Amino acid sequence: MSASKSSLAALTLGAIGVVYGDIGTSVLYAVKEVFGSGHVPFTPANVYGILSIFFWTLTVIVSLKYVTLVLRADNAGEGGLVAMLALASQSVKDKPELRRWLLVVGIFGTCLFYGDGVITPAISVLSAVEGLEVVSPAFKKAVIPLTLIILFGLFAVQKRGTAGIGKFFGPITVVWFVAIAVLGVAHIASNPAILWALSPHHAIGFIVHNPGTTFIILGAVVLCVTGGEALYADMGHFGKKPIRLAWFSVVMPALTLNYFGQGALLLKNPEAVKNPFFMMAPDWALLPLVGLATMATVIASQALISGAFSVTKQVIQLGYLPRLQVLHTSVKDTGQIYMPFVNWGLFVAIVLAVVLFKSSSNLAAAYGIAVTLDMLITTVLTFFVIRYGWKYPLALCLGATGFFFVVDLAFFTSNLMKLFDGGWFPLLIGGSVFMLMMTWKQGRSQLNAALRQDALDLPGFLEAVFVSPPARVEGTAVFLTAEPGNVPNAMLHNLKHNKVLHRNNLFVTVRNHEVPWIGLDKRLQIEPLGHDCWQVIVHYGFKNDPDLPSALEQIRTRGCELEPMTTSYFLSRDIVIPTLGQGMASWREKLFAQMHHNASGAAAFLNLPNNSVVELGSKIEI
């Protein structure tokens, strides 16, 4: 019992640091953007109305939708849009056309994550550093350079992994939540009546009397739920109970107290609207608060960067991107990875966002479209999971998701008004990634189809070969092939040029599945072909780490000796075949050819050391 409580406490602390760092820093800019927009007349009734809208937005979107409903839709304990997509596609696998469209929609939602991944660190760190302007206007010129330096330092240390610094995330974020709660309480104490804004009638009254204004400001109100989707994405790391406990016991109360404290400050001093969060603090606490806010935003950004690594790895496993270099930064936790290409690609995009938009207020105009569309897609996928996967009645499914769909749609359509003010930026990033993913997926499908047309039947070919067998050499040959039952080109070249065959021959195909994990007991599927030849299918989930040599170690118990020093891996060279008539546009074919050429997939796929990168079609001695 004591160990269980200790584990729950540790997981809850970790969830506070990793899951809620992003939404916890939304207090830096959310209220400022709503009241600083100029759309809301500054009256006490409007302050009460806006605070009530904030509170009930947090309640409906985070507490009810994500914490209560979406967290129930786990895929073997894993969460996130990729896990939800896999769950939804499995639920409608008997409806191929619907499944195909769900996959396209889900992958597009996953791509939007990258747009959010650029805007969120930029606006978070920039808004924290802008606190220096409250200390002294002289610091204004240093805000952007200092922001870029902090961001560079953050991305530069990614290769070291989060194992060493992760244990500090929780305590620092707890200090942050305590600090913002204390600031809120201090100002609420001067005007306790502000707590009446908890009543929904203030939000309803504001909406009824100002429907047009309400629709416009929803684009700024959504800032209070930045990072809300991380609740679901990080479920596999912490579990449902710690995430729920952290939200209701620490995060939600602290956010509510701070927002209401900012409201009390604005009622007392309307001039504080230029930066209500930092103006809550006394002068002596300003610099320490800026430092704490900067640490909190860096932690929030770290969680999103790690999430980008994880999501990229998962979509690679599902076959929507070429295999990129994946470095493991921990010997204990396989989930702690570093992807250099993704890391520096994100950094370049974030620097571009900071330099292009120059302030957190301008970045706030860019934020919202991607994340609200992502939330809308999550709601749609949830419907198909609970309707077709869980077999709940249609009326119940429509009732459970219909309300959230209307709310998400209202936020999304409101944010569309910011399309030309900056909302195009995350959409451009998400759309570009989506185009790359779909080009790679379709290109590989067309390539495999073309190769299948010219492929020889493996069992028949082996029978013909062993009528007059070539010389056999000691050791094991592993031939990697995309389709089981086909003769790999590498084998044909080996017989043609070397005129020998190994004593043992494995024809290996890797299958990636729409489930998070596949255990070692189900990893290998082996079929003997005779003459010491075996057809092997290796199964991976989208969260598994592909390590082919380790997976094939199990074959020793199936009658085949696999000695590392005498095992040769042969990788077939794929030829990019242009299509005639139907197929992708020529520019996409060229793009796929370039991606195919640049993909250093062999070494990454085999989990070999970095210095073992080889050309496709060559022989690898391990």
Side-chain angles (χ1 to χ4, degrees):
M1 180 67 71
S2 176
S4 176
K5 290 181 178 179
S6 176
S7 177
L8 178 61
L11 287 171
T12 302
L13 181 63
I16 292 173
V18 175
V19 178
Y20 295 110
D22 197 359
I23 197 171
T25 56
S26 62
V27 294
L28 289 166
Y29 43 80
V31 173
K32 179 179 72 171
E33 296 308 320
V34 171
F35 285 104
S37 64
H39 295 294
V40 182
F42 203 88
T43 65
N46 287 345
V47 171
Y48 277 79
I50 293 298
L51 292 180
S52 187
I53 290 175
F54 267 73
F55 175 78
W56 288 102
T57 297
L58 288 169
T59 301
V60 170
I61 292 181
V62 182
S63 299
L64 296 181
K65 177 185 172 181
Y66 279 99
V67 176
T68 303
L69 176 62
V70 175
L71 281 185
R72 297 185 61 198
D74 66 290
N75 192 337
E78 294 294 329
L81 197 55
V82 174
M84 176 72 83
L85 171 61
L87 207 59
S89 67
Q90 292 171 26
S91 301
V92 296
K93 58 184 177 182
D94 57 336
K95 299 176 174 60
E97 188 65 20
L98 176 59
R99 180 176 180 273
R100 185 172 70 87
W101 280 107
L102 283 182
L103 284 170
V104 171
V105 171
I107 289 297
F108 182 67
T110 302
C111 296
L112 291 174
F113 175 82
Y114 293 95
D116 184 31
V118 170
I119 296 296
T120 301
I123 190 174
S124 296
V125 177
L126 191 55
S127 62
V129 179
E130 283 174 346
L132 292 173
E133 296 182 32
V134 179
V135 178
S136 171
F139 286 117
K140 185 173 183 178
K141 293 183 179 179
V143 169
I144 290 180
L146 185 57
T147 298
L148 295 178
I149 291 172
I150 293 171
L151 287 169
F152 176 77
L154 173 64
F155 281 89
V157 301
Q158 290 303 309
K159 61 184 178 182
R160 301 181 181 275
T162 58
I165 58 176
K167 59 185 178 182
F168 299 109
F169 282 9
I172 291 176
T173 312
V174 168
V175 172
W176 168 255
F177 281 117
V178 170
I180 66 174
V182 169
L183 287 173
V185 169
H187 287 274
I188 291 173
S190 65
N191 186 6
I194 197 70
L195 293 176
W196 284 109
L198 291 170
S199 173
H201 85 273
H202 288 288
I204 295 172
F206 183 90
I207 294 171
V208 170
H209 291 99
N210 307 279
T213 301
T214 301
F215 179 75
I216 293 173
I217 66 168
L218 285 180
V221 171
V222 74
L223 293 169
C224 75
V225 291
T226 54
E229 66 278 4
L231 293 167
Y232 184 47
D234 289 312
M235 179 170 58
H237 295 288
F238 302 100
K240 302 175 187 177
K241 189 173 182 179
I243 289 176
R244 287 171 172 160
L245 182 60
W247 173 253
F248 288 113
S249 64
V250 176
V251 181
M252 178 71 169
L255 292 176
T256 302
L257 288 172
N258 191 267
Y259 282 130
F260 279 57
Q262 291 188 48
L265 171 65
L266 291 175
L267 288 176
K268 181 180 179 180
N269 179 19
E271 294 297 323
V273 72
K274 61 183 180 181
N275 203 324
F277 175 80
F278 283 106
M279 295 190 74
M280 294 174 74
D283 292 340
W284 61 266
L286 265 178
L287 280 177
L289 186 60
V290 171
L292 180 60
T294 302
M295 287 190 290
T297 54
V298 166
I299 291 172
S301 302
Q302 171 63 57
L304 199 144
I305 295 167
S306 300
F309 295 157
S310 178
V311 167
T312 304
K313 177 190 168 188
Q314 291 174 29
V315 295
I316 288 173
Q317 291 289 86
L318 290 176
Y320 284 91
L321 280 177
R323 297 180 185 103
L324 303 174
Q325 185 182 25
V326 179
L327 303 177
H328 291 267
T329 59
S330 172
V331 297
K332 296 180 180 179
D333 186 359
T334 60
Q336 292 188 13
I337 59 175
Y338 169 66
M339 304 182 72
F341 180 82
V342 177
N343 183 71
W344 294 111
L346 268 179
F347 174 71
V348 170
I350 290 173
V351 169
L352 183 62
V354 172
V355 173
L356 185 64
F357 291 96
K358 294 183 173 59
S359 72
S360 61
S361 294
N362 293 336
L363 278 168
Y367 183 88
I369 293 181
V371 71
T372 51
L373 185 53
D374 215 355
M375 291 178 176
L376 192 62
I377 291 172
T378 299
T379 301
V380 172
L381 294 178
T382 302
F383 168 80
F384 288 100
V385 170
I386 65 177
R387 173 64 180 133
Y388 297 102
W390 300 350
K391 308 296 183 184
Y392 283 178
L394 179 61
L396 179 61
C397 296
L398 289 174
T401 59
F403 172 69
F404 298 119
F405 181 85
V406 172
V407 173
D408 292 337
L409 186 62
F411 276 102
F412 173 64
T413 51
S414 173
N415 277 276
L416 280 177
M417 298 180 63
K418 302 191 294 185
L419 179 63
F420 298 106
D421 293 327
W424 56 269
F425 188 74
L427 285 182
L428 177 63
I429 294 173
S432 300
V433 176
F434 179 73
M435 183 267 294
L436 290 174
M437 286 188 182
M438 297 309 296
T439 298
W440 180 259
K441 183 71 172 178
Q442 293 176 20
R444 290 298 301 177
S445 297
Q446 293 181 15
L447 177 60
N448 290 334
L451 293 174
R452 279 196 299 269
Q453 290 179 355
D454 299 326
L456 299 175
D457 177 64
L458 181 60
F461 178 80
L462 290 177
E463 289 299 323
V465 166
F466 286 106
V467 169
S468 179
R472 307 290 291 270
V473 296
E474 293 302 320
T476 300
V478 178
F479 295 97
L480 301 179
T481 176
E483 293 292 333
N486 292 340
V487 180
N489 288 331
M491 182 183 187
L492 295 175
H493 289 294
N494 189 48
L495 287 172
K496 177 180 178 181
H497 297 291
N498 299 327
K499 297 178 175 56
V500 296
L501 199 63
H502 283 70
R503 181 65 56 193
N504 300 305
N505 295 275
L506 305 180
F507 302 93
V508 179
T509 300
V510 174
R511 286 281 181 264
N512 293 304
H513 299 272
E514 295 174 1
V515 295
W517 305 100
I518 291 180
L520 292 176
D521 57 328
K522 299 179 181 178
R523 181 60 46 84
L524 294 185
Q525 180 182 338
I526 302 173
E527 178 187 353
L529 301 175
H531 309 286
D532 295 319
C533 298
W534 290 266
Q535 176 76 66
V536 182
I537 301 179
V538 186
H539 299 279
Y540 290 108
F542 59 78
K543 294 276 286 186
N544 286 124
D545 288 315
D547 187 344
L548 199 55
S550 296
L552 294 180
E553 285 290 321
Q554 299 181 51
I555 206 170
R556 291 185 177 186
T557 63
R558 312 286 185 93
C560 176
E561 291 297 324
L562 192 68
E563 295 296 333
M565 298 304 296
T566 60
T567 300
S568 300
Y569 286 80
F570 294 86
L571 298 113
S572 297
R573 183 183 298 274
D574 292 335
I575 306 300
V576 179
I577 305 172
T579 58
L580 296 176
Q582 293 183 347
M584 296 188 295
S586 59
W587 67 270
R588 290 186 66 200
E589 286 186 353
K590 293 178 181 178
L591 174 63
F592 170 70
Q594 187 62 43
M595 294 169 68
H596 190 275
H597 175 74
N598 292 338
S600 57
F605 176 72
L606 290 171
N607 204 19
L608 301 177
N610 290 340
N611 58 2
S612 298
V613 177
V614 296
E615 290 186 1
L616 293 179
S618 63
K619 175 180 174 182
I620 309 172
E621 294 289 346
I622 300 181

